[in-house]
């Protein structure tokens, strides 16, 4: 069982992801804004962060920058969730060494496969 | 001041000036205020900084000529009439002056109070008309800008509203999917059937909203292609694979054929797939059970053509010229209109962004064939191409 931090300002989307991850046997921590996300990432030391890039007030890129700058979370795998049309954000996100990008709206199967791969890569 | 005209006269000849003052004291209902200048530049200076109704200038000025005065005034953007008095009755000179921007010219040899008055009245009328025309033009331009701004505003509104609708819809679909996947407990077959319908409707709504978003992107020039080199065969085959379940559900055969060799070209993979799935989706919608849809990728003169032909009800010829126009809708014999009239328009615009074209051949009750032609374009590296 792994601990996964899900960050999305759309609380319903965050909840839907959390439901799937929990049912797959993971422990899930949810944050709906950037500041809380950074706080929980440091407190909870998750094995993986699913991070929405486009969030108001502390967008995903800032969160990623802070996580990389902190000793405890510097190497935590990050999967970015992106609105498919924002290629510009995606290019900027590359700097924070993400494991993968998942374009919204995404297929639930793709999410679960990606999560397994991201966790596997970490423990390999 | 009503009924008063201010006229600037530039003339270094005292006799001429006296004549002008006398002749132009009063014209019709107008009192004339004649402001005389001997030095051309002083006259120009005055005329370009005051409200002036007309200007009379002598062509034969010492040192400078009247033509230069005309040019300087025109360059300064004055909008009052300029009348030039000439010593000779030369047509060539007259044409030259008119070209430079003079409104009229009068040969001194034929100058009379009457001819001067007539010329002034004509010139002032003509300028008043021109002013009115240019005022109207400015008004029309302003109105046009306003309409354009309004149009942009509406586009932004549609974009915004589509986004706002999509967010709750995405979570609605997602939770239906969670229940369908059995994550909230076991389902009866009946429950599963109804939830499948619900999820299908969500997917349909998402597609409509995406189309609307794309239309607003097209309108505002923000539909950007993300092009890279691709083998068209893979794109065509994936599009067909995606639509296979839907064709099967409608009891239609959906086949695909592609050349043996790679069909490399530079395209936005997801956009081309969007065009193909849209057209295949239409074919499925308008073909009765038992029919077939054939998707064929073939070499064309300067690129590749993907044709999607069906055995459906067909489209009457009078619609062919407009079927790709935005908001154009084809009603069936019962007057029923399907769709929003933006799907095929999007297909054409996306194809055109790729430098390609889309065409249709169709016969009623025989079927339709849409062909998407894409040029052969290769790029060594992935680039983002702004529309």
């Amino acid at each position: 069982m792994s601990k996964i931090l899900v960050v999305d300002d759309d609380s319903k989307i965050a909840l839907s992801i959390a439901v799937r991850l929990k049912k797959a046997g993971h422990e899930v921590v949810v944050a709906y804004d950037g500041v809380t996300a950074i706080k929980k990432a440091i407190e909870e030391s998750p094995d993986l962060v699913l991070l929405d890039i486009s969030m108001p007030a502390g967008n995903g890129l800032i969160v990623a920058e802070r996580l990389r700058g902190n000793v405890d979370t510097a190497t935590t795998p990050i999967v970015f969730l992106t609105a498919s049309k924002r290629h510009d954000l995606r290019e900027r996100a590359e700097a924070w060494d993400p494991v993968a990008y998942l374009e919204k709206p995404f297929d639930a199967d793709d999410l679960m496969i990606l999560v397994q791969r991201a966790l596997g890569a970490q423990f390999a | 001041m009503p009924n008063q005209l201010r006229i600037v006269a530039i003339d270094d000849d005292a006799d001429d000036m006296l004549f002008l003052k006398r002749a132009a004291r009063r014209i019709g209902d107008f009192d004339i205020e004649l402001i005389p200048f001997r030095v051309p530049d002083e006259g120009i200076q005055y005329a370009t900084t005051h409200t002036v109704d007309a200007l009379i200038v002598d062509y034969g000025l010492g040192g400078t000529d009247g033509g230069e005065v005309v040019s300087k005034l025109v360059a300064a953007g004055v909008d009052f009439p300029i009348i030039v008095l000439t010593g000779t009755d030369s047509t060539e000179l007259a044409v030259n002056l008119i070209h430079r921007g003079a409104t009229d010219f009068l040969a001194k040899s034929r100058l009379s109070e009457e001819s001067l008055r007539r010329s002034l009245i004509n010139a002032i009328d003509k300028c008043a008309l021109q002013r009115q025309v240019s005022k109207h033009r400015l008004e029309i331009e302003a109105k046009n800008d306003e309409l354009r701004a309004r149009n942009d505003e509406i586009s932004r509104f549609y974009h915004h509203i589509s986004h706002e609708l999509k967010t709750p819809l995405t979570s609605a679909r997602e939770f239906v999917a969670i229940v369908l996947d059995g994550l909230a407990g076991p389902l009866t077959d009946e429950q599963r059937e109804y939830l499948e319908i619900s999820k299908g409707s969500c997917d349909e709504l998402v597609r409509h909203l995406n189309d609307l978003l794309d239309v607003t992107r097209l309108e505002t020039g923000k539909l950007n292609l993300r092009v890279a080199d691709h083998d068209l065969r893979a794109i065509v085959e994936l599009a067909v694979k995606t639509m296979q379940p839907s064709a099967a559900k409608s009891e239609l055969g959906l086949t695909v054929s592609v050349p043996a060799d790679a069909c490399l070209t530079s395209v936005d993979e997801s956009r081309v797939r969007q065009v193909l799935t849209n057209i295949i989706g239409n074919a499925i919608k308008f073909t009765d059970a038992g029919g077939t849809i054939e998707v064929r990728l073939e070499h064309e003169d300067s690129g590749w053509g993907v044709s999607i032909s069906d055995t459906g009800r067909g489209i009457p010829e009078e619609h062919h010229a407009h079927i790709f126009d935005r908001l154009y809708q084809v009603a069936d014999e019962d007057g029923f209109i399907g769709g929003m009239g933006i799907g095929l328009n999007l297909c054409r615009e996306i194809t055109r962004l790729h430098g390609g074209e889309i065409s249709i051949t169709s016969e009623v009750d025989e079927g339709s064939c849409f062909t998407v032609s894409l040029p052969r374009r290769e790029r060594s590296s992935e680039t983002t191409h702004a529309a």
Side-chain angles (χ1 to χ4, degrees):
Chain A
M1 187 183 78
S2 306
K3 189 189 277 185
I4 301 172
L5 172 61
V6 178
V7 188
D8 198 318
D9 62 313
D10 184 335
S11 59
K12 298 181 201 99
I13 292 297
L15 178 61
S16 72
I17 296 171
V19 167
R20 287 197 181 271
L21 294 174
K22 277 180 192 164
K23 294 288 177 179
H26 300 293
E27 185 185 344
V28 182
V29 182
V30 181
Y32 304 128
D33 65 83
V35 178
T36 312
I38 294 162
K39 192 165 147 266
K40 291 203 171 169
I42 291 165
E43 281 172 8
E44 306 269 350
S45 304
D47 301 304
L48 173 66
V49 181
L50 299 182
L51 180 55
D52 183 23
I53 294 189
S54 354
M55 290 188 295
N59 77 52
L61 294 179
I62 298 174
V63 174
E65 184 179 358
R66 293 290 166 80
L67 296 190
R68 287 295 173 253
N70 186 291
V71 186
D72 298 327
T73 56
T75 58
T76 307
I78 297 175
V79 170
F80 280 118
L81 311 178
T82 73
S84 57
K85 305 303 175 207
R86 295 297 302 269
H87 298 309
D88 52 332
L89 285 181
R90 182 167 167 160
E91 272 148 28
R92 281 163 57 201
E94 196 60 47
W96 310 116
D97 193 25
V99 182
Y101 302 90
L102 195 56
E103 285 191 358
K104 285 178 168 181
F106 44 77
D107 191 74
D109 292 341
D110 291 344
L111 169 73
M112 300 313 286
I113 290 166
L114 201 57
V115 164
Q116 272 325 110
R117 212 180 75 205
L119 290 170
Q122 192 199 16
F123 295 119
Chain B
M1 261 180 285
N3 290 350
Q4 174 147 22
L5 297 176
R6 183 186 285 163
I7 295 172
V8 170
I10 302 174
D11 202 326
D12 56 359
D13 185 307
D15 287 344
D16 283 354
M17 194 61 90
L18 210 63
F19 168 78
L20 288 175
K21 277 184 181 169
R22 202 176 53 235
R25 192 170 297 140
R26 195 176 162 78
I27 298 174
D29 294 336
F30 295 97
D31 284 328
I32 306 291
E33 181 194 2
L34 191 85
I35 302 166
F37 290 95
R38 282 177 166 276
V39 181
D41 282 346
E42 287 175 9
I44 292 170
Q45 164 72 20
Y46 181 90
T48 51
T49 51
H50 292 75
T51 305
V52 169
D53 295 296
L55 183 141
I56 300 171
V57 59
D58 187 8
Y59 183 75
L61 293 164
T64 174
D65 71 59
E68 272 175 49
V69 173
V70 172
S71 295
K72 282 183 184 173
L73 287 167
V74 169
V78 300
D79 65 349
F80 50 73
I82 303 165
I83 296 165
V84 186
L85 302 179
T86 59
T88 60
D89 198 357
S90 147
T91 314
E92 202 180 318
L93 176 60
V95 169
N96 176 281
L97 286 170
I98 301 291
H99 266 296
R100 284 184 170 204
T103 317
D104 198 4
F105 73 100
L106 287 169
K108 281 186 186 172
S109 56
R110 292 190 294 157
L111 189 63
S112 66
E113 291 189 15
E114 182 52 32
S115 66
L116 179 67
R117 282 178 194 161
R118 200 180 311 130
S119 172
L120 268 173
I121 288 171
N122 282 344
I124 288 168
D125 277 355
K126 187 173 159 192
C127 273
L129 216 63
Q130 274 172 350
R131 264 179 226 167
Q132 213 169 355
V133 168
S134 73
K135 186 174 152 235
H136 282 184
R137 205 193 58 225
L138 286 176
E139 279 170 4
I140 288 168
E141 279 170 3
K143 196 81 198 158
N144 200 24
D145 286 348
E146 197 184 301
L147 286 173
R148 204 171 288 142
R150 180 98 185 99
N151 198 35
D152 286 352
E153 197 181 297
I154 292 170
S155 287
R156 276 196 300 274
F157 172 73
Y158 277 122
H159 195 85
H160 186 69
I161 215 168
S162 307
H163 253 303
E164 289 296 307
L165 291 174
K166 218 176 130 178
T167 309
L169 182 58
T170 306
S171 68
R173 183 204 180 276
E174 190 45 29
F175 281 100
V176 169
I178 282 173
V179 177
L180 261 176
D181 288 351
L183 297 177
L187 289 176
T188 66
D189 286 348
E190 192 179 2
Q191 285 168 340
R192 177 175 303 282
E193 186 191 337
Y194 298 158
L195 285 173
E196 288 285 4
I197 293 171
S198 175
K199 188 171 148 214
S201 297
C202 286
D203 287 341
E204 203 178 321
L205 254 177
V206 168
R207 275 199 301 279
H208 289 327
L209 288 175
N210 282 338
D211 280 357
L212 266 178
L213 282 168
D214 282 344
V215 165
T216 61
R217 284 191 188 101
L218 266 178
E219 282 238 321
T220 50
K222 285 179 184 152
L223 198 144
N224 295 332
L225 295 185
R226 197 173 162 79
V227 294
D229 290 345
H230 287 282
D231 186 345
L232 276 180
R233 294 180 306 171
I235 300 177
V236 171
E237 280 170 342
L238 181 56
V240 170
K241 192 178 159 199
T242 312
M243 300 307 287
Q244 208 60 265
S246 159
K249 204 181 277 177
S250 300
E251 294 170 44
L252 296 167
L254 175 57
T255 63
V256 59
S257 72
V258 298
D261 302 334
C263 304
L264 285 179
T265 188
S266 190
V267 290
D268 184 323
E269 190 264 347
S270 71
R271 289 295 183 186
V272 171
R273 199 149 40 85
Q274 178 187 350
V275 169
L276 299 179
T277 52
N278 193 312
I279 297 173
I280 296 170
N282 275 347
I284 292 172
K285 198 162 139 193
F286 296 111
T287 305
D288 294 333
T292 53
I293 297 159
E294 277 179 36
V295 180
R296 193 181 290 271
L297 171 60
E298 285 170 318
H299 286 273
E300 280 185 354
D301 288 343
S302 56
W304 284 275
V306 188
S307 60
I308 297 105
S309 53
D310 62 53
T311 55
R313 64 184 72 156
I315 299 158
E317 195 172 348
E318 69 255 33
H319 297 300
H320 293 187
H322 306 289
I323 194 130
F324 300 108
D325 293 348
R326 167 139 14 125
L327 304 182
Y328 189 78
Q329 292 172 317
V330 181
D332 65 15
E333 56 262 42
D334 305 320
F336 179 77
I337 293 169
M340 299 190 286
I342 56 179
L344 283 175
N345 177 253
L346 269 178
C347 288
R348 180 180 68 184
E349 298 309 316
I350 291 170
T351 305
R352 284 184 175 172
L353 284 178
H354 282 90
E357 196 46 85
I358 189 167
S359 60
I360 177 183
T361 55
S362 180
E363 235 168 279
V364 174
D365 296 333
E366 295 287 322
S368 303
C369 178
F370 287 82
T371 304
V372 178
S373 299
L374 292 167
R376 189 178 287 114
R377 294 203 294 203
E378 283 180 52
R379 280 160 200 259
S380 49
S381 62
E382 187 166 309
T383 51
T384 300
H385 166 75

